[in-house]
Amino acid sequence: MLATLPLVPFWIDGQPAAAHSTRLGIVTNPSTGAPLRQVPLAGAVDVDTAVQSARRAFPGWRATTPLRRSRILARFRELLEVNQAAIATLISEEHGKVFLDAMGSVQRGIEVVEFATGAPHLLKGAFSEEVGRDVDAYSILQPVGVCAGITPFNFPAMVPLWMLPMALACGNTFILKPSEKDPSPSILMAELLTQAGLPPGVFNVVHGDKEAVEALLAHPGVDAISFVGSTPIAKHIYTTAAAAGKRVQALGGAKNHAVVMPDADMTFTADAIMGAAYGSAGERCMAISAVVAVGDAGDRLVAALAERARALKVAPSLEPGSDMGPVVTAEHRQRIIGYIDAGVAQGATLVVDGRGLVIAGHEGGFFVGPTLFDRVTTAMTIYQDEIFGPVLVVVRAASLDEALTIVNANPYGNGTAIFTRSGAAARLFEHEVQVGMVGINVPIPVPMAFYSFGGWKASLFGDLHVHGAEGVKFYTRTKAVTRRWTEDPTVGGFHMPTM
Ligand code: NAD
């Protein structure tokens, strides 16, 4: 039966391509548990085919003016808008997040394409006239070469769109290795890029697992690697790619805290935290998974969250009105339930229990209900580990100082938020917190496309964040030119100039 499932192709040289490797993965529909599609898992030969295609295309794309590249990206943006619902439907089918959330995630990706259409402006260098007698100095930004993107399951369109528009705008060619759990949106986006007029080989897609990733890391024809995924793999990608002399940015996992001060508007705060904790079933790298409740905020907040969590509508991802869909796989569901069991065993107070949730008519689906723990300590595994599911833990703290100490002691540093009516508390938090993206009365402070996205500490390995100005830096190499045009024979000399 599995052999009759449709096959998601690779995309090489501007068209669908078959795999050399015979290894296959199965893509399941998390809302039903049923297999949907087969996906070929690339080996070294497949990766080499994609790299050769990208290398052949590089000189022509590098020579294409930034304005022409930008026009192709503008057409791509229009096609993404026309096909937004089709991409979101594929995401809901293969990932399990609800349709409206999938639409929003594609929208965030479209905004990066929009930003990248400014390529002629983004690629302007600096110029200084007369740095010496008849000497000018300037910098030019040139593409890095063949860049690869390795992306996670939780944003199968948005995370590739953090990378590929920026890489292409800067004149690079690109190979995407999306998550093998939800590979279809990448192929639809590849088709749209081709329709938009992108020359063959400029953008290629290979599917696969560890084997494909290792082949990309080892391939001498790959110049730069962008990775987004879990922290242990991010660390491995960073060290391996850097040792091979490649430019690398590797974004990792997270445990994002919301600090709730006693003066916060509790209705607003509880509503905000609900979406941030349980939206996309908690499978977001910017999800709030830990709340630090300061002073007497805890009792009021936990009561408000519990009431809302019990009222959430958990349903199949494409069912209208569904707040939260299933998690991505049966194994992931088991892992999350294991964490809830551990939280109970370690003495946390289980306020809302999402275990054992069964959706009538979808008994095979990978559903976990919203789960809320109170009186969690930083020694418990439900606090320490990234669960990546609909599980929110509440830790109590006596003061803002204690809350800051807790947030800063955590090894992750992706996103965080403070809820308060005090400008002084917010300002202190913003200044002292050791986290890359900070929200003030904003639960998921994802930077817009024209800023850069990235965490600190174990949430990012490498120097540069994605998209925005840092994305341009990552996908270009700077060349500094010092130029003299003179007819005066007295300028210049034997020694280094002293003034
Ligand atoms: P993952 O680390 O399991 O997989 C990410 C990518 O790496 C996939 O393409 C996968 O095929 C590949 N991969 C998996 N195992 C590998 C191995 N052993 N060697 C080499 N490559 C391997 O992550 P995931 O489960 O797909 O995604 C969820 C994780 O991603 C969470 O930890 C989440 O916080 C993180 N994430 C982070 C951000 C961010 O911006 N920091 C954004 C989205 C997701």
Side-chain angles (χ1 to χ4, degrees):
M1 182 230 166
L2 291 180
T4 62
L5 292 173
L7 192 72
V8 187
F10 294 160
W11 193 271
I12 293 173
D13 276 339
Q15 55 189 337
H20 186 273
S21 155
T22 52
R23 291 194 312 126
L24 288 169
I26 301 295
V27 181
T28 45
N29 179 342
S31 295
T32 61
L36 270 179
R37 299 179 180 99
Q38 303 180 82
V39 59
L41 303 175
V45 174
D46 294 308
V47 166
D48 183 58
T49 307
V51 175
Q52 298 308 335
S53 168
R55 285 240 78 91
R56 278 193 303 276
F58 177 58
W61 186 242
R62 178 185 192 272
T64 303
T65 62
L67 192 58
R68 284 181 191 279
R69 289 183 217 141
S70 151
R71 287 183 184 139
I72 291 174
L73 287 168
R75 282 198 288 278
F76 177 50
R77 194 209 63 198
E78 285 163 18
L79 290 167
L80 284 171
E81 280 170 358
V82 171
N83 289 277
Q84 188 168 358
I87 299 171
T89 303
L90 285 174
I91 296 173
S92 288
E93 251 179 32
E94 296 187 350
H95 172 282
K97 70 177 73 183
V98 303
F99 179 72
L100 278 180
D101 202 47
M103 285 290 280
S105 73
V106 181
Q107 186 60 38
R108 299 283 86 73
I110 289 173
E111 286 161 8
V112 181
V113 183
E114 210 159 36
F115 177 74
T117 58
H121 174 71
L122 299 172
L123 293 172
K124 287 193 295 197
F127 187 92
S128 303
E129 189 185 35
E130 206 70 354
V131 293
R133 277 252 325 267
D134 297 335
V135 176
D136 307 319
Y138 53 98
S139 59
I140 47 187
L141 305 180
Q142 297 193 327
V144 177
V146 172
C147 302
I150 300 159
T151 54
F153 80 85
N154 66 325
F155 283 107
M158 183 185 85
V159 171
L161 289 173
W162 283 352
M163 304 169 181
L164 74 93
M166 300 302 303
L168 300 186
C170 294
N172 304 280
T173 55
F174 199 83
I175 300 162
L176 175 64
K177 203 302 286 170
S179 171
E180 66 279 27
K181 295 188 178 112
D182 42 18
S184 296
S186 297
I187 296 301
L188 179 47
M189 291 195 292
E191 279 177 40
L192 299 181
L193 278 164
T194 299
Q195 279 178 38
L198 195 75
V202 175
F203 178 71
N204 302 283
V205 183
V206 289
H207 305 296
D209 53 11
K210 180 177 166 53
E211 198 176 319
V213 172
E214 297 300 341
L216 281 168
L217 297 180
H219 202 298
V222 176
D223 300 297
I225 302 269
S226 299
F227 172 87
V228 177
S230 58
T231 288
I233 315 289
K235 213 169 178 175
H236 167 70
I237 301 281
Y238 178 69
T239 50
T240 312
K246 301 185 195 310
R247 184 173 289 202
V248 50
Q249 56 182 179
L251 283 68
K255 192 85 182 179
N256 304 309
H257 297 65
V259 171
V260 179
M261 299 298 288
D263 67 352
D265 175 333
M266 236 22 104
T267 304
F268 169 80
T269 303
D271 286 342
I273 290 177
M274 283 302 294
Y278 301 118
S280 195
E283 292 171 320
R284 291 183 184 141
C285 63
M286 289 291 277
I288 293 292
S289 48
V291 166
V292 185
V294 176
D296 69 3
D299 290 348
R300 287 177 288 141
L301 181 69
V302 169
L305 289 173
E307 185 192 329
R308 287 163 174 74
R310 291 191 185 102
L312 266 195
K313 183 175 176 200
V314 185
S317 58
L318 286 166
E319 190 172 302
S322 168
D323 292 319
M324 188 179 112
V327 299
V328 69
T329 57
E331 299 73 50
H332 192 45
R333 178 175 182 275
Q334 254 342 95
R335 189 175 161 271
I336 294 166
I337 288 172
Y339 273 114
I340 303 174
D341 294 343
V344 173
Q346 289 169 19
T349 307
L350 183 56
V351 183
V352 182
D353 185 358
R355 295 172 295 184
L357 175 74
V358 177
I359 306 291
H362 287 80
E363 289 76 6
F366 313 137
F367 292 95
V368 186
T371 298
L372 179 64
F373 277 106
D374 192 11
R375 305 209 173 271
V376 172
T377 71
T378 55
M380 296 176 182
T381 50
I382 50 169
Y383 172 77
Q384 290 176 347
D385 292 0
E386 181 185 38
I387 300 174
F388 221 56
V391 180
L392 178 64
V393 306
V394 179
V395 180
R396 307 281 186 126
S399 63
L400 177 56
D401 275 355
E402 190 189 341
L404 264 169
T405 304
I406 291 171
V407 178
N408 287 345
N410 194 280
Y412 296 105
N414 216 36
T416 189
I418 184 167
F419 288 87
T420 182
R421 286 186 170 107
S422 157
R427 191 175 182 284
L428 178 78
F429 183 76
E430 169 203 310
H431 190 68
E432 293 298 328
V433 77
Q434 301 291 304
V435 174
M437 294 172 279
V438 180
I440 296 167
N441 297 318
V442 172
I444 304 196
V446 172
M448 298 298 288
F450 35 92
Y451 282 84
S452 299
F453 180 109
W456 288 14
K457 303 197 284 185
S459 296
L460 186 138
F461 302 89
D463 308 307
L464 293 171
H465 293 185
V466 294
H467 63 66
E470 298 206 9
V472 176
K473 274 193 189 157
F474 184 78
Y475 289 119
T476 55
R477 290 185 297 185
T478 305
K479 196 178 270 180
V481 183
T482 308
R483 166 183 89 181
R484 170 182 289 139
W485 288 118
T486 185
E487 291 184 347
D488 178 349
T490 65
V491 298
F494 180 80
H495 300 292
M496 291 179 83
T498 51
M499 53 182 292

